[in-house]
Amino acid sequence: MRRKLAAGNWKMNGDASLLGELAQLAGQQSDTGPEILICPPHTLLAHAVSVTDGSPVGIGGQDCHAAETGAHTGDVSAPMIAATGAQAVIVGHSERRTDHHETNADVRAKVKAAWAAGLTAILCIGESEDERMGDSTLEIIADQLHASAPDGTTGDNTVIAYEPIWAIGTGRVPTLEQIIETHDMLRDELVGRFGPEAMTIRLLYGGSVKPNNAADIFTADNVDGALVGGASLAAADFQPIIDALAAS
Ligand code: PEP
Protein backbone atom coordinates (compact mmCIF):
# COMPACT_ATOMS: atom_id res chain seq x y z
CA MET A 1 0.00 0.00 0.00
CA ARG A 2 2.81 2.45 0.87
CA ARG A 3 5.67 2.65 -1.64
CA LYS A 4 8.94 2.19 0.21
CA LEU A 5 11.43 5.03 0.14
CA ALA A 6 15.19 5.10 0.54
CA ALA A 7 16.26 8.72 0.99
CA GLY A 8 19.85 9.94 1.23
CA ASN A 9 20.93 13.12 2.98
CA TRP A 10 24.38 14.23 1.85
CA LYS A 11 24.42 17.06 4.42
CA MET A 12 27.29 19.54 3.77
CA ASN A 13 29.24 16.98 1.76
CA GLY A 14 29.74 16.59 -1.93
CA ASP A 15 31.40 18.22 -4.88
CA ALA A 16 31.18 17.52 -8.58
CA SER A 17 33.17 14.28 -8.12
CA LEU A 18 30.43 12.83 -5.93
CA LEU A 19 28.01 13.17 -8.82
CA GLY A 20 29.81 10.16 -10.32
CA GLU A 21 28.50 8.09 -7.39
CA LEU A 22 25.04 9.45 -8.10
CA ALA A 23 25.27 8.58 -11.80
CA GLN A 24 26.33 5.05 -10.87
CA LEU A 25 23.45 4.72 -8.41
CA ALA A 26 20.95 6.05 -10.94
CA GLY A 27 22.21 3.70 -13.64
CA GLN A 28 21.76 0.56 -11.58
CA GLN A 29 18.12 1.01 -10.46
CA SER A 30 15.05 -0.71 -11.86
CA ASP A 31 11.65 0.95 -12.13
CA THR A 32 10.11 -1.66 -9.86
CA GLY A 33 12.30 -1.07 -6.80
CA PRO A 34 11.69 1.27 -3.87
CA GLU A 35 11.47 4.99 -4.48
CA ILE A 36 14.92 6.58 -4.16
CA LEU A 37 15.65 10.18 -3.28
CA ILE A 38 19.03 11.87 -2.88
CA CYS A 39 19.31 15.24 -1.15
CA PRO A 40 22.62 16.89 -2.04
CA PRO A 41 23.70 20.39 -0.99
CA HIS A 42 21.82 23.16 -2.81
CA THR A 43 24.86 23.96 -4.95
CA LEU A 44 24.60 20.53 -6.59
CA LEU A 45 20.83 20.32 -7.02
CA ALA A 46 20.64 21.25 -10.70
CA HIS A 47 23.62 19.02 -11.55
CA ALA A 48 22.10 16.14 -9.60
CA VAL A 49 18.78 16.54 -11.41
CA SER A 50 20.55 16.38 -14.75
CA VAL A 51 22.72 13.36 -13.78
CA THR A 52 19.64 11.39 -12.67
CA ASP A 53 17.36 12.52 -15.51
CA GLY A 54 15.28 9.64 -16.83
CA SER A 55 16.28 7.35 -13.93
CA PRO A 56 14.12 6.29 -10.96
CA VAL A 57 16.26 8.40 -8.61
CA GLY A 58 14.64 11.65 -7.47
CA ILE A 59 16.41 14.70 -6.05
CA GLY A 60 15.55 16.83 -3.02
CA GLY A 61 16.87 19.82 -1.09
CA GLN A 62 17.97 19.72 2.55
CA ASP A 63 16.11 22.77 3.84
CA CYS A 64 14.08 25.71 2.56
CA HIS A 65 13.12 29.14 3.84
CA ALA A 66 9.46 29.61 4.73
CA ALA A 67 9.16 32.67 2.51
CA GLU A 68 9.03 32.60 -1.30
CA THR A 69 11.41 35.52 -1.82
CA GLY A 70 12.84 38.38 0.21
CA ALA A 71 15.72 39.81 2.19
CA HIS A 72 17.10 36.56 3.60
CA THR A 73 20.76 36.49 2.66
CA GLY A 74 22.13 33.01 2.17
CA ASP A 75 18.75 31.28 2.30
CA VAL A 76 17.05 29.30 -0.45
CA SER A 77 13.29 29.18 -0.96
CA ALA A 78 11.11 26.19 -1.82
CA PRO A 79 10.22 27.58 -5.29
CA MET A 80 13.96 27.95 -6.00
CA ILE A 81 14.50 24.29 -5.09
CA ALA A 82 11.53 23.24 -7.23
CA ALA A 83 12.90 25.29 -10.14
CA THR A 84 15.99 23.06 -10.26
CA GLY A 85 13.75 20.08 -11.03
CA ALA A 86 13.96 18.70 -7.48
CA GLN A 87 10.82 17.10 -6.12
CA ALA A 88 11.24 17.12 -2.35
CA VAL A 89 12.90 18.92 0.54
CA ILE A 90 14.00 17.83 4.01
CA VAL A 91 12.66 20.10 6.76
CA GLY A 92 13.19 20.07 10.51
CA HIS A 93 16.36 17.97 10.51
CA SER A 94 17.78 17.96 14.04
CA GLU A 95 20.95 19.64 12.77
CA ARG A 96 18.81 22.56 11.56
CA ARG A 97 16.79 22.59 14.77
CA THR A 98 20.05 22.73 16.78
CA ASP A 99 22.41 24.80 14.58
CA HIS A 100 19.76 27.30 13.46
CA HIS A 101 17.45 27.18 16.48
CA GLU A 102 14.49 26.15 14.35
CA THR A 103 11.30 25.68 16.33
CA ASN A 104 8.35 23.44 15.52
CA ALA A 105 6.50 26.55 14.30
CA ASP A 106 9.39 27.39 11.95
CA VAL A 107 9.37 23.82 10.64
CA ARG A 108 5.60 23.86 10.15
CA ALA A 109 5.92 27.04 8.06
CA LYS A 110 8.62 25.39 5.96
CA VAL A 111 6.43 22.33 5.34
CA LYS A 112 3.69 24.63 4.04
CA ALA A 113 6.21 26.47 1.85
CA ALA A 114 7.35 23.13 0.42
CA TRP A 115 3.77 22.13 -0.40
CA ALA A 116 3.05 25.49 -2.02
CA ALA A 117 6.04 24.94 -4.31
CA GLY A 118 4.85 21.44 -5.22
CA LEU A 119 7.58 19.71 -3.19
CA THR A 120 7.14 16.72 -0.92
CA ALA A 121 8.21 17.61 2.62
CA ILE A 122 10.45 15.10 4.38
CA LEU A 123 9.61 16.17 7.93
CA CYS A 124 12.13 15.09 10.59
CA ILE A 125 11.47 14.58 14.28
CA GLY A 126 13.41 12.83 17.02
CA GLU A 127 14.41 12.85 20.68
CA SER A 128 17.72 13.74 22.30
CA GLU A 129 19.68 11.25 24.36
CA ASP A 130 18.59 12.95 27.60
CA GLU A 131 14.96 12.67 26.53
CA ARG A 132 15.45 8.99 25.70
CA MET A 133 17.14 8.37 29.06
CA GLY A 134 14.37 10.31 30.82
CA ASP A 135 11.75 8.03 29.31
CA SER A 136 9.98 10.86 27.51
CA THR A 137 10.67 9.81 23.91
CA LEU A 138 7.09 9.04 22.94
CA GLU A 139 5.73 12.23 24.44
CA ILE A 140 8.47 14.38 22.87
CA ILE A 141 8.16 13.01 19.35
CA ALA A 142 4.34 13.04 19.43
CA ASP A 143 4.51 16.73 20.42
CA GLN A 144 7.03 17.45 17.66
CA LEU A 145 4.90 15.62 15.13
CA HIS A 146 1.74 17.53 15.95
CA ALA A 147 3.44 20.90 16.24
CA SER A 148 5.49 20.50 13.03
CA ALA A 149 2.96 18.80 10.73
CA PRO A 150 0.37 21.27 9.42
CA ASP A 151 -3.31 20.48 8.94
CA GLY A 152 -3.60 19.03 5.46
CA THR A 153 -0.71 16.58 5.85
CA THR A 154 -1.22 13.61 3.51
CA GLY A 155 0.73 10.70 2.11
CA ASP A 156 1.13 12.64 -1.14
CA ASN A 157 2.63 15.80 0.28
CA THR A 158 4.62 14.59 3.31
CA VAL A 159 6.95 11.86 4.54
CA ILE A 160 7.78 11.65 8.26
CA ALA A 161 11.35 10.73 9.23
CA TYR A 162 11.86 9.58 12.82
CA GLU A 163 15.51 10.22 13.65
CA PRO A 164 16.69 9.84 17.25
CA ILE A 165 19.30 12.59 17.57
CA TRP A 166 21.65 10.33 19.53
CA ALA A 167 21.67 7.83 16.66
CA ILE A 168 22.57 10.30 13.89
CA GLY A 169 26.16 9.84 12.77
CA THR A 170 27.10 7.90 15.90
CA GLY A 171 26.88 4.27 14.81
CA ARG A 172 24.33 3.69 17.58
CA VAL A 173 20.80 2.59 16.75
CA PRO A 174 17.73 1.96 18.89
CA THR A 175 16.74 -1.64 19.44
CA LEU A 176 14.24 -3.06 16.98
CA GLU A 177 11.66 -3.02 19.78
CA GLN A 178 12.26 0.70 20.33
CA ILE A 179 11.92 1.40 16.61
CA ILE A 180 8.68 -0.58 16.45
CA GLU A 181 7.33 1.23 19.52
CA THR A 182 8.01 4.71 18.14
CA HIS A 183 6.82 4.00 14.61
CA ASP A 184 3.62 2.30 15.79
CA MET A 185 2.91 5.24 18.07
CA LEU A 186 3.54 7.74 15.24
CA ARG A 187 1.19 5.80 12.95
CA ASP A 188 -1.53 5.88 15.64
CA GLU A 189 -1.04 9.61 16.15
CA LEU A 190 -1.24 10.29 12.41
CA VAL A 191 -4.39 8.21 11.97
CA GLY A 192 -5.92 9.77 15.09
CA ARG A 193 -5.40 13.26 13.70
CA PHE A 194 -5.71 12.85 9.91
CA GLY A 195 -8.01 9.83 9.70
CA PRO A 196 -7.64 6.52 7.85
CA GLU A 197 -5.96 8.30 4.89
CA ALA A 198 -2.93 8.70 7.15
CA MET A 199 -2.20 5.02 6.58
CA THR A 200 -0.62 6.22 3.32
CA ILE A 201 1.87 8.57 5.03
CA ARG A 202 5.32 7.02 4.88
CA LEU A 203 7.36 6.75 8.07
CA LEU A 204 11.12 6.55 7.62
CA TYR A 205 13.64 5.56 10.26
CA GLY A 206 16.90 7.55 10.27
CA GLY A 207 20.05 7.31 12.39
CA SER A 208 23.14 5.23 11.52
CA VAL A 209 21.36 3.02 8.99
CA LYS A 210 24.08 0.90 7.37
CA PRO A 211 24.21 -2.10 5.04
CA ASN A 212 24.62 -4.40 8.06
CA ASN A 213 21.58 -3.25 10.07
CA ALA A 214 19.09 -2.16 7.38
CA ALA A 215 17.35 -5.51 6.85
CA ASP A 216 16.61 -5.84 10.57
CA ILE A 217 15.19 -2.32 10.80
CA PHE A 218 13.00 -2.87 7.72
CA THR A 219 11.22 -5.81 9.37
CA ALA A 220 9.14 -3.32 11.37
CA ASP A 221 5.63 -2.92 9.87
CA ASN A 222 5.52 0.84 10.19
CA VAL A 223 9.02 1.44 8.87
CA ASP A 224 8.48 2.36 5.22
CA GLY A 225 12.11 3.09 4.46
CA ALA A 226 15.07 5.07 5.73
CA LEU A 227 16.64 8.50 5.74
CA VAL A 228 20.35 7.79 5.44
CA GLY A 229 23.25 10.18 5.98
CA GLY A 230 26.80 8.81 5.81
CA ALA A 231 25.92 5.58 4.00
CA SER A 232 24.22 7.50 1.17
CA LEU A 233 27.49 9.08 0.02
CA ALA A 234 28.79 5.99 -1.78
CA ALA A 235 26.72 3.88 -4.18
CA ALA A 236 28.41 0.76 -2.79
CA ASP A 237 27.02 1.54 0.69
CA PHE A 238 23.60 2.84 -0.32
CA GLN A 239 22.75 0.07 -2.78
CA PRO A 240 22.67 -2.74 -0.16
CA ILE A 241 20.30 -0.59 1.91
CA ILE A 242 18.03 -0.13 -1.13
CA ASP A 243 18.23 -3.88 -1.78
CA ALA A 244 17.32 -4.68 1.83
CA LEU A 245 14.33 -2.36 1.55
CA ALA A 246 13.24 -3.97 -1.71
CA ALA A 247 13.43 -7.40 -0.09
CA SER A 248 11.48 -6.39 3.05
C1 PEP B 1 20.85 11.95 8.75
O1 PEP B 1 21.68 12.75 8.33
O2 PEP B 1 19.66 12.24 8.70
C2 PEP B 1 21.33 10.66 9.25
C3 PEP B 1 20.44 9.80 9.67
O3 PEP B 1 22.68 10.45 9.24
P1 PEP B 1 23.45 9.04 9.50
O4 PEP B 1 22.77 8.02 8.62
O5 PEP B 1 24.85 9.32 9.07
O6 PEP B 1 23.31 8.71 10.94
Side-chain angles (χ1 to χ4, degrees), residues 1-244:
M1 175 174 37
R2 295 184 292 272
R3 185 158 177 221
K4 294 167 182 169
L5 171 61
N9 173 16
W10 282 7
K11 310 195 191 201
M12 199 171 71
N13 297 295
D15 52 22
S17 68
L18 204 61
L19 295 175
E21 290 290 325
L22 186 56
Q24 186 189 329
L25 188 79
Q28 63 197 28
Q29 304 311 316
S30 76
D31 287 331
T32 54
E35 188 178 339
I36 300 167
L37 182 75
I38 293 290
C39 301
H42 290 151
T43 51
L44 293 178
L45 277 178
H47 293 292
V49 167
S50 112
V51 163
T52 54
D53 189 33
S55 84
V57 177
I59 299 299
Q62 295 178 14
D63 177 57
C64 65
H65 196 280
E68 274 185 44
T69 56
H72 304 292
T73 302
D75 279 315
V76 173
S77 73
M80 290 170 179
I81 293 170
T84 67
Q87 61 201 51
V89 62
I90 297 171
V91 289
H93 193 284
S94 60
E95 288 153 14
R96 299 283 320 174
R97 291 178 186 261
T98 303
D99 296 354
H100 299 271
H101 312 290
E102 291 185 7
T103 64
N104 288 324
D106 295 330
V107 174
R108 190 170 66 246
K110 290 179 180 215
V111 174
K112 288 185 182 171
W115 295 350
L119 299 172
T120 301
I122 314 286
L123 168 56
C124 301
I125 56 174
E127 82 285 3
S128 68
E129 181 148 37
D130 282 352
E131 289 161 347
R132 169 63 69 176
M133 299 305 283
D135 225 11
S136 54
T137 296
L138 297 183
E139 190 189 330
I140 292 288
I141 62 174
D143 283 353
Q144 276 182 9
L145 176 72
H146 289 301
S148 304
D151 290 342
T153 295
T154 70
D156 286 333
N157 61 26
T158 305
V159 172
I160 307 294
Y162 165 60
E163 299 204 305
I165 298 168
W166 52 273
I168 295 177
T170 61
R172 298 165 58 205
V173 288
T175 64
L176 182 59
E177 289 67 31
Q178 288 171 327
I179 292 175
I180 291 170
E181 181 184 43
T182 48
H183 281 246
D184 286 357
M185 183 279 290
L186 291 169
R187 175 70 61 210
D188 288 347
E189 291 292 321
L190 287 169
V191 171
R193 176 166 166 202
F194 299 111
E197 286 297 307
M199 289 302 290
T200 64
I201 299 173
R202 289 174 292 180
L203 287 171
L204 308 185
Y205 168 77
S208 295
V209 177
K210 305 290 177 199
N212 65 359
N213 60 22
D216 195 35
I217 292 168
F218 296 149
T219 60
D221 280 349
N222 277 309
V223 172
D224 303 309
L227 180 55
V228 182
S232 70
L233 290 169
D237 292 330
F238 201 39
Q239 188 62 51
I241 295 172
I242 296 168
D243 293 343

